[in-house]
């Protein structure tokens, strides 16, 4: 899967592809909810337990998915810091 580097730039299709690859056991409800609710990368980064439950994620998979979303948030923050660092020292 070749997603754009920044999670915040992911489209709904990118999020769907990520979910499909990461969680093949969540085939029906969660994957369909991505399209139904237009979950982009930016929206995915803001999702929490309540939103995932409302989208139909099974309770036994919540913590795994929340951890992966947290890792995506960290990745995004590192990219933001890298951009700031590059801007500061590129002159």
């Amino acid at each position: 899967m070749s997603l754009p580097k920044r999670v915040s730039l992911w489209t709904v299709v990118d999020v769907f592809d990520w979910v499909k690859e990461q969680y093949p056991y969540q085939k029906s409800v969660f994957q369909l909810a991505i399209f139904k609710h237009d979950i982009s990368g930016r929206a995915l980064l803001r999702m929490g337990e309540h939103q995932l439950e409302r989208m139909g994620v099974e309770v036994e998979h919540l913590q795994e998915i929340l951890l992966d979303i947290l890792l995506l948030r960290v990745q995004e923050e590192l990219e933001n810091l890298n951009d700031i660092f590059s801007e500061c020292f590129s002159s």
Side-chain angles (χ1 to χ4, degrees):
M1 174 171 64
S2 60
L3 294 173
K5 191 172 188 180
R6 302 293 288 257
V7 178
S8 60
L9 300 177
W10 287 3
T11 65
V12 173
V13 173
D14 293 330
V15 173
F16 177 82
D17 289 343
W18 179 79
V19 168
K20 188 169 65 171
E21 184 175 295
Q22 292 289 115
Y23 315 107
Y25 51 81
Q26 286 285 340
K27 285 191 191 260
S28 58
V29 179
F30 189 30
Q31 290 178 2
L32 292 175
I34 298 297
F35 285 112
K36 180 180 178 185
H37 299 287
D38 292 323
I39 305 298
S40 65
R42 188 174 298 271
L44 180 67
L45 291 172
R46 293 191 308 263
M47 294 192 79
E49 184 173 355
H50 180 70
Q51 290 88 357
L52 291 171
E53 286 175 344
R54 288 182 58 202
M55 290 176 66
V57 172
E58 297 171 5
V59 174
E60 61 266 18
H61 302 299
L62 273 175
Q63 291 306 311
E64 177 187 3
I65 295 171
L66 286 169
L67 179 60
D68 286 339
I69 291 173
L70 178 61
L71 291 172
L72 290 174
R73 287 182 193 141
V74 169
Q75 176 184 335
E76 185 73 17
E77 287 301 318
L78 288 172
E79 290 294 328
N80 288 338
L81 289 171
N82 189 39
D83 289 349
I84 291 168
F85 182 79
S86 295
E87 288 175 15
C88 287
F89 293 101
S90 66
S91 308

